Structure formats: C-alpha cells, structure tokens
Amino acid sequence: MVVSMKNYKGRFFYIVTALLIVCGSFFPVSKEKAGASAVGTVKVSGMLNVRSGPGTKYSIIQSGGTNVTLSNGLKITITGVYGNWYHIKLKHNGKTVKGYVKKSYVKTQAGGVHTKVYGRVAANSVKLRTNASTKSSACKVDKKAVTVKKAKKVRILSETLVKNTKWLQVSVTYSSQKCKGYILSKHIELICKKGLPAVCKSTSKVTLKKTAGGSAAVTVGGKKVSLSKGKQITVLKTKTVSGKRYLYVKLTSGKTKVKGYLPDKYVFLQIVKDEKSSKKQTTSENKGSTLNLTDAQYVNKLISDGFPSSYTSGLLALHKKYPNWKFVPYKTGLAWNTVIQNENVVGLNLLPVSKSLDWKSFAEGAYNWKTDSFIPYDGSTWVTASEKAVKYYMDPRNFLDERGIFQYESLEYHADFHTQAGVEKILKNTPMYNRNYSYTDETGATKSRKYSETFITAASKSGVSPYHLASRAKQEVVISATLMSSSVSGRVAGYEGIYNFYNIGANNSTVSGGAIANGLNWAKGGSSSSKTYMRPWTSPYKSIVGGASYIGKAYINAGQNTLYLQKFNVTSKNRYWHQYMANIEAPNSEATKTYTAYGTDKNDMSLVFSIPVYNSMPANACPVPSGGKNPNNYLKTLSVANHAFTSKFVLGDDGSKVYKVSIKNSVTSIKINASAVSSSATVTGAGTKKPAVGTTTYTVKVKAQNGSVRKYKIQVTRKSS
C-alpha cells in the first residue's frame, strides 16, 4: 500500500493528538499528592486495641481471625480525627488494616495533628487555578477569574508535587463565596504559630541546611544531619529565596534537638480529615445545619428555637468560637418573679459571710437586727443570700461565656472524651491528685487504687460524668492542697470508718455535729434500699462509686441533669426543693473546674447545653451585687442619766414608743445617752439638754449607713417650783 506524504503527516498529527487527549493533557504531568495523612507512634505500656469505630463501645477489629492490637513504638498512619480518636491504617500480617485508636496513646510531632492549616498570600496577587498547573484555567465566580490578593488568609487542604514543584490546594472566600483551587506554594506563607507537624517525603536522604538556599549543613557531633523518608519534623516558618520556598524546621537527631532549613518540596504537612465535622456537614444539609449560617441567620434560629433576644449576643459569640456546640432552650414555663419568690427563702441559698453586704440577706431570720450580725445556716460562716444575689446567679444571661456555660452542660458520662488524665487535671492541687488510697474489699482483701481511676469506675457504673463527680468532691471536701474535710477522714467520733466524698445528706444544721455529722449519718445507712448505693460507705471506694450512683439516680436521671438544675430545681419534680447544694455559687465555681478539665479538646467536641428560659424576664441581665450599705438604724441603748423611763427601753424597740421621764424643778439639765446597734450608723439628738418647766419632747435619730433614719422620742416633764 502506498501512502502519500501529505496523508501520512496528517495521520501522524492525528495519532499524537489522540494520545495526548487520552493521557488527559497536552502537557505531561507527574503528580504526587500528599499531606492527607500523618505519622504517629504508639505509646502504651501494654497493648493498644484497634476498634471498628471511634469509641470503646465499638468492637476490636480482627485480621486473620485474631484481634488487632498495637505494641509500644509502632509507627502508624493517621488519616482522620473523630473527637478523641484517630482513624488509622497500618500493615498487619501483610495486610492493610484500618480502624480507630485513642489519641492519648499516640505520639505525634508537635503534639498532635491538624485538621485545619492556614496561610497568607505572600505575592501581590495570584490566580486561583482549577488544576495544579500554570496553564490551567482560573477558578471563576460570577464569570470573573478569582484572584487572591496579598495577605489574604487561605485554608490549606492538601499539597501536590508536580514536576518537582509544589502546589497547594486551598479554600478561600471570594465575593462572599467559598472557592477551592490551586496556588503555587511559593506564593503562600504558612501560619505556623507554635509549629505545624510535618513529615519528610524525600525518596533519598536530604541534608538539613543552616540557611535558606545555603550550602552549609547543620551538624551534630561533627556529622551532617540528614533526613530519610518518613522522618517527623515541625515547621516553624517559611522563607522564600530567589523564587524558591524553604521551610525552617526543628527535629530530633539522635537525642539532640536541631533546627534548620529544607526545600519546600521535601516537606509535607500532616493534615488529616476532621471526620466528626465531615459527618455533621454531610448529615446537616437536610437538618438545618448551623455551620454555614450568617450571624443574622443564626440569631434568628436561636429566637425561633425559643431563646429570648437578650440571650442571643452571648450565644452567637460562643457559636462563632465553638461551632460544634449546641444550645437548647430549657423552657421552664415559669414566670421569673414567681421563681425568684420561691427561691428567695431564708436558709435555702447560702454564701460565705465574708461577702459584701449587697450579697447577703437582711430578711427576718437571715439577719439579727439586735446584734448587727447575719444568722448562720451551716457551721458559723454560711449565711442566706440576698434576693439580688439569687437573681444574679439564677439569670442564665450572666454566664453565657465559654466558662460559665458549663453549668448548663448535660452531665452524662461520655467514654470517648472523659479520661482519667482529665480527672487528674481536676484533682490537681488537692490531696487526691495522683494519689492512691487503700481499702478492704468485700472479700477481705486489701486493695490500692488511684482516686482518678475510682472516679472513672464511678462514671461507668452510674452514667455520670467523672469530671462532674471529681469537681463535686473537690468542692465539697477539699480544704487545701494537703487537707480534706473530716467527712472523708473515717475518724469522726460516732462515725469511725465512714466516708462521704460528696457530702450527700449533709443538710444545713446548727445542731451538735452540724452538716458533717448529718452527712456521715446518711452515709452510715442501714435500710435495705440503701444497698443500692453500696451503703454503708465504709471506704473511699464505696463512697465515690456508690455516691455517684445516688447522684445519677436522684438527680441526673431524674431530670436535674445540669449543675444549674441541681442547685435551682425548676423542673416539674420536687420543684424548688430537692436541691443538691446550699452554696448558691457552687454551679458557677464547678463550671470553672469542668471548663479547665476539658482543656483544648472542648474545641472539637459536640457538646450540648440546656439553658433555662423563663417567662416575663427582665429586659436585661440582672446585675452583679456590689458593695452595699448597712440598713440597720436601731438603737442599742437609750437612757437619761440618773433618771429612769416610766417604760424601760429594751434592745430591739423600733421607736414606736414615747419614752417618758419626770424630773424635779431643781434639775436644770439632763444628759441623754444613746448608742446604735451598728457601728456604721450615726446617732444625733443625744447629749446635754436644758428642759424648760413643763413637758419637752426630744428626738434621737439613728441614720443607717444606707441613709434610712429611725426616730426615738423622749418626753421630759420638769415640775414647776
């Protein structure tokens, strides 16, 4: 067959063109996509179970008919994060195995992995491209090419190496729309803060240099520091020299920590998938997701859910910082003034007598006007809170911040993120911190356990958060870093060998023994039903574990499932009573301990907060009590020197009487003596007087610190000659 040269040339062009189209581009590209995983090292004293899901409730995965367990020091690949769990993959008996392990048992460079990494554009203006190529088209919004200006913040999704040049896939907001595309890495300056975990991806050893683009190597003991593939490093900053980007990193060489520069193409960030957020995003599209709502839309949602508009500013600020948190209105159906009236009962809500006057109640039974002293309702220092204090602590709007909000957190036990290490954080600076105690079990054997371990056991048996249990015990029985209340000493007379770590049953009392004796009497138990809570509590173990069951059954499982509701019972059951603690400040102070115990893990947790809402609330949050002035304007003593009243003055007289005295004509002057009950009050009208013949009325005035005045009248009759 003869083919003309003309036809041959046409066919050759056609064939080459077809091959290029099949390959996907006229420009052959070699790609290596990385950064979608991280490297971790197992750190465990025994063996680490690999589970089928992110939680201990999931089964241990099997390979070849046996459970997959990991030994200390084993390297694993982390592909995702779900709360306190890593999604991992590894080779096990020659097969690739995937599963979940707890984060606390895996060590990574820079202390963790990142699901979000950010950078800023270093060039004056760069195009966002649809593919990792300078010849690919630009991404478009409303038919306009997306250009990203200098200093614009972008989120880095992944890194791709194309012909020895690194590209970053980024997400950026442009004209109020989220866009994804590619930018050359040399145009992006990483936001490293304390350091970003990364891994070396070089196929051969690469030398760490002293300067960016320089030739001098970093040395240790006279030897150059070289990195192999898989070496974990921490990126501290970026630097561009002659159009090439270098990363300033730190790593461990042998046992020595060193710093230096590596070419950008050899270093890939450990960016993994946030599976919890991804799952939420996937399922939220048809469930009214709040993740993509504007501020105005989110506020409208809060109002439609049932929150008053006065709640929204605080909740919006929390939502912007913690988008995974959920806020649910607990609609009490109760009028605000009715609630305050029922909670403002003498002896129901207590606080320390050391608080300023504005915090303390002057109501009858709460304050002794004759002695200018507050009446104790627990020991000698706990007195009744004022109505103003009750309003302040009961108004949720005063505590809609990232700390105070925890008094509205649901208190169920979550094994995924409640850890023994977290309990230890709560117990820090107490006699229970990292400490063991010994006790005798039911078989007569002597055992030793850590307090933190016991709180975890108590949580698993009762369904109550161990952080809540530990903080409650700390609140009730810890006096200092080295001393605890006698209620957990086991040495109180009449209650030897009895413990009460939560002070359950320690009702307000001024009788002999006080609240501690009442609590120990309860812990001693005796009825058949008491066995449900492991009473009598003859050891710390029984008290902590059994008491947790009581708290779970009597409070959390009965609807009082927040710190707030346990103090202020506005549920339909035993309303205004069955309130766990008398200390009005307890929910707020325990919220601080819970907030601290969660640490940074709370940022990614899907926590639920049940926040009370009342009818006819004040327009603004009730103010915090401050200062205060004493209203006591009573007289402690009243007399006329050397002359008796016809009706004796008695301490506590309110000034409604007229005190009469008769003197001889020869008496030309008298002295009125008067003193106030309160040292802060002032007395006027006393002193030397010269009554005329006949009847003269003198008025003694007592002006209290708050300005109120009480008058006492003395009628002096001087006889005629």
Side-chain angles (χ1 to χ4, degrees):
M1 179 179 179
V2 179
V3 180
S4 70
M5 198 64 180
K6 180 179 178 180
N7 289 338
Y8 176 79
K9 289 180 180 179
R11 290 184 180 184
F12 178 78
F13 177 79
Y14 174 80
I15 292 169
V16 172
T17 302
L19 286 172
L20 288 173
I21 293 173
V22 170
C23 292
S25 172
F26 277 99
F27 310 99
V29 172
S30 61
K31 290 186 178 182
E32 179 189 344
K33 188 171 183 179
S37 63
V39 178
T41 305
V42 175
K43 293 294 180 182
V44 64
S45 57
M47 301 296 288
L48 179 61
N49 294 325
V50 180
R51 298 188 177 273
S52 59
T56 53
K57 64 182 179 180
Y58 293 95
S59 61
I60 301 173
I61 63 173
Q62 292 192 332
S63 177
T66 60
N67 290 341
V68 176
T69 56
L70 311 180
S71 59
N72 185 55
L74 184 68
K75 296 284 186 183
I76 56 176
T77 299
I78 303 168
T79 60
V81 180
Y82 191 100
N84 270 357
W85 293 76
Y86 282 144
H87 196 174
I88 68 164
K89 67 178 181 179
L90 71 154
K91 289 287 185 180
H92 187 269
N93 294 332
K95 295 181 179 179
T96 300
V97 175
K98 297 180 181 180
Y100 290 84
V101 296
K102 291 202 76 169
K103 290 166 62 175
S104 56
Y105 297 119
V106 179
K107 183 179 180 180
T108 56
Q109 190 73 5
V113 298
H114 289 251
T115 57
K116 293 180 180 179
V117 174
Y118 296 92
R120 294 189 187 279
V121 174
N124 289 329
S125 180
V126 294
K127 285 184 178 180
L128 185 68
R129 299 188 180 275
T130 55
N131 287 298
S133 169
T134 54
K135 297 186 178 181
S136 68
S137 60
C139 299
K140 292 184 179 181
V141 170
D142 296 330
K143 298 182 179 180
K144 293 182 179 179
V146 176
T147 55
V148 190
K149 295 184 178 180
K150 188 173 184 177
K152 178 69 174 178
K153 187 176 180 180
V154 299
R155 179 180 173 184
I156 299 166
L157 304 176
S158 65
E159 301 168 279
T160 302
L161 203 60
V162 181
K163 286 188 173 181
N164 255 3
T165 302
K166 186 187 285 186
W167 287 79
L168 304 181
Q169 186 188 30
V170 303
S171 172
V172 63
T173 302
Y174 182 84
S175 296
S176 301
Q177 292 190 36
K178 288 280 187 182
C179 303
K180 289 183 182 180
Y182 291 85
I183 296 176
L184 281 168
S185 66
K186 67 180 182 180
H187 296 318
I188 302 294
E189 180 182 353
L190 294 175
I191 299 175
C192 298
K193 293 184 178 180
K194 294 182 179 180
L196 296 174
V199 65
C200 178
K201 287 281 186 177
S202 173
T203 55
S204 59
K205 286 192 174 184
V206 57
T207 303
L208 187 67
K209 300 297 178 65
K210 290 182 178 180
T211 59
S215 58
V218 176
T219 60
V220 172
K223 294 183 178 180
K224 294 181 181 180
V225 176
S226 297
L227 288 74
S228 300
K229 186 175 182 179
K231 176 66 177 178
Q232 294 188 71
I233 52 184
T234 301
V235 178
L236 301 177
K237 64 180 180 180
T238 55
K239 188 172 184 178
T240 301
V241 177
S242 301
K244 293 183 179 181
R245 190 171 78 153
Y246 297 86
L247 300 180
Y248 186 55
V249 303
K250 67 177 179 180
L251 59 122
T252 302
S253 178
K255 293 184 179 180
T256 304
K257 292 184 178 179
V258 295
K259 295 179 181 179
Y261 287 89
L262 291 173
D264 178 44
K265 63 182 179 179
Y266 297 135
V267 181
F268 287 84
L269 300 173
Q270 298 186 8
I271 308 172
V272 302
K273 185 179 181 182
D274 184 349
E275 296 183 357
K276 202 166 191 177
S277 296
S278 298
K279 183 177 179 182
K280 281 187 164 189
Q281 185 66 30
T282 301
T283 58
S284 64
E285 293 178 359
N286 298 319
K287 294 184 178 181
S289 169
T290 62
L291 296 178
N292 296 317
L293 297 181
T294 65
D295 290 357
Q297 289 172 331
Y298 186 73
V299 167
N300 288 335
K301 182 184 184 306
L302 290 173
I303 293 174
S304 66
D305 287 343
F307 282 112
S309 58
S310 55
Y311 282 62
T312 57
S313 61
L315 294 179
L316 174 61
L318 285 171
H319 170 71
K320 293 171 78 170
K321 189 168 184 179
Y322 303 103
N324 291 331
W325 289 6
K326 183 178 181 181
F327 309 111
V328 179
Y330 178 72
K331 300 175 184 178
T332 64
L334 304 173
W336 173 253
N337 288 337
T338 302
V339 171
I340 298 303
Q341 181 182 352
N342 281 276
E343 284 286 348
N344 188 36
V345 175
V346 172
L348 184 60
N349 294 294
L350 308 181
L351 39 64
V353 71
S354 58
K355 301 285 284 189
S356 65
L357 293 174
D358 213 21
W359 290 91
K360 297 176 287 193
S361 174
F362 284 87
E364 184 178 353
Y367 173 76
N368 189 334
W369 294 85
K370 296 180 181 180
T371 60
D372 188 29
S373 61
F374 295 91
I375 299 170
Y377 276 83
D378 187 10
S380 60
T381 60
W382 290 88
V383 299
T384 302
S386 66
E387 179 176 329
K388 195 171 183 179
V390 173
K391 287 181 176 179
Y392 171 73
Y393 275 117
M394 289 202 70
D395 192 336
R397 295 170 296 184
N398 286 316
F399 306 99
L400 300 182
D401 55 66
E402 60 183 326
R403 180 206 57 79
I405 193 73
F406 278 92
Q407 62 188 286
Y408 312 115
E409 181 203 2
S410 295
L411 297 177
E412 292 84 2
Y413 172 44
H414 298 284
D416 288 357
F417 53 81
H418 286 144
T419 65
Q420 188 173 337
V423 175
E424 288 288 5
K425 289 181 182 178
I426 295 175
L427 298 180
K428 200 167 186 178
N429 296 321
T430 78
M432 293 182 281
Y433 175 62
N434 202 26
R435 291 286 299 275
N436 284 52
Y437 64 90
S438 298
Y439 70 102
T440 304
D441 67 10
E442 298 297 332
T443 66
T446 300
K447 292 190 174 182
S448 177
R449 290 174 69 102
K450 268 192 172 182
Y451 283 103
S452 57
E453 178 191 4
T454 306
F455 282 112
I456 291 292
T457 300
S460 64
K461 290 180 179 292
S462 65
V464 179
S465 162
Y467 295 173
H468 171 60
L469 295 174
S471 64
R472 174 160 287 186
K474 185 175 180 179
Q475 182 88 5
E476 293 289 342
V477 303
V478 172
I479 297 173
S480 70
T482 58
L483 183 65
M484 290 200 288
S485 164
S486 58
S487 61
V488 294
S489 68
R491 296 190 296 270
V492 175
Y495 302 99
E496 291 83 355
I498 300 298
Y499 303 81
N500 193 338
F501 273 78
Y502 306 113
N503 271 342
I504 296 172
N507 303 318
N508 305 331
S509 174
T510 54
V511 300
S512 177
I516 287 178
N518 287 344
L520 291 174
N521 186 57
W522 194 94
K524 196 171 182 179
S527 65
S528 58
S529 62
S530 69
K531 294 179 181 178
T532 305
Y533 309 118
M534 301 172 68
R535 288 192 294 172
W537 292 338
T538 54
S539 69
Y541 179 84
K542 283 187 174 182
S543 175
I544 294 172
V545 177
S549 295
Y550 174 81
I551 292 170
K553 183 174 182 180
Y555 290 91
I556 294 173
N557 299 332
Q560 291 175 259
N561 61 345
T562 65
L563 291 170
Y564 180 95
L565 291 178
Q566 289 177 26
K567 174 66 197 89
F568 306 112
N569 184 11
V570 290
T571 70
S572 59
K573 187 176 181 181
N574 298 316
R575 183 174 293 157
Y576 307 126
W577 301 101
H578 193 254
Q579 299 187 156
Y580 180 81
M581 64 283 280
N583 180 5
I584 196 172
E585 299 176 307
N588 187 42
S589 59
E590 288 191 20
T592 301
K593 297 182 183 72
T594 304
Y595 167 81
T596 304
Y598 278 125
T600 57
D601 288 341
K602 63 181 173 290
N603 298 7
D604 299 319
M605 290 178 182
S606 300
L607 301 178
V608 177
F609 300 91
S610 179
I611 307 169
V613 171
Y614 301 97
N615 297 336
S616 304
M617 295 186 73
N620 300 309
C622 296
V624 58
S626 176
K629 295 183 177 181
N630 195 320
N632 194 323
N633 54 13
Y634 277 84
L635 276 181
K636 185 177 183 179
T637 61
L638 180 65
S639 64
V640 175
N642 301 316
H643 300 282
F645 293 143
T646 56
S647 178
K648 185 179 180 181
F649 173 82
V650 179
L651 177 62
D653 283 357
D654 61 4
S656 58
K657 290 190 205 176
V658 175
Y659 296 94
K660 298 179 180 180
V661 64
S662 179
I663 60 175
K664 294 178 182 180
N665 177 262
S666 59
V667 179
T668 59
S669 68
I670 60 172
K671 185 178 181 181
I672 298 175
N673 297 314
S675 65
V677 171
S678 172
S679 60
S680 62
T682 56
V683 178
T684 57
T688 301
K689 308 292 180 183
K690 294 183 177 182
V693 173
T695 300
T696 305
T697 299
Y698 297 98
T699 300
V700 175
K701 296 179 180 179
V702 185
K703 186 176 182 180
Q705 187 183 35
N706 72 348
S708 63
V709 176
R710 188 178 298 277
K711 299 177 181 179
Y712 292 83
K713 292 183 178 180
I714 299 175
Q715 196 176 82
V716 180
T717 301
R718 183 184 173 193
K719 295 179 181 180
S720 60
S721 59

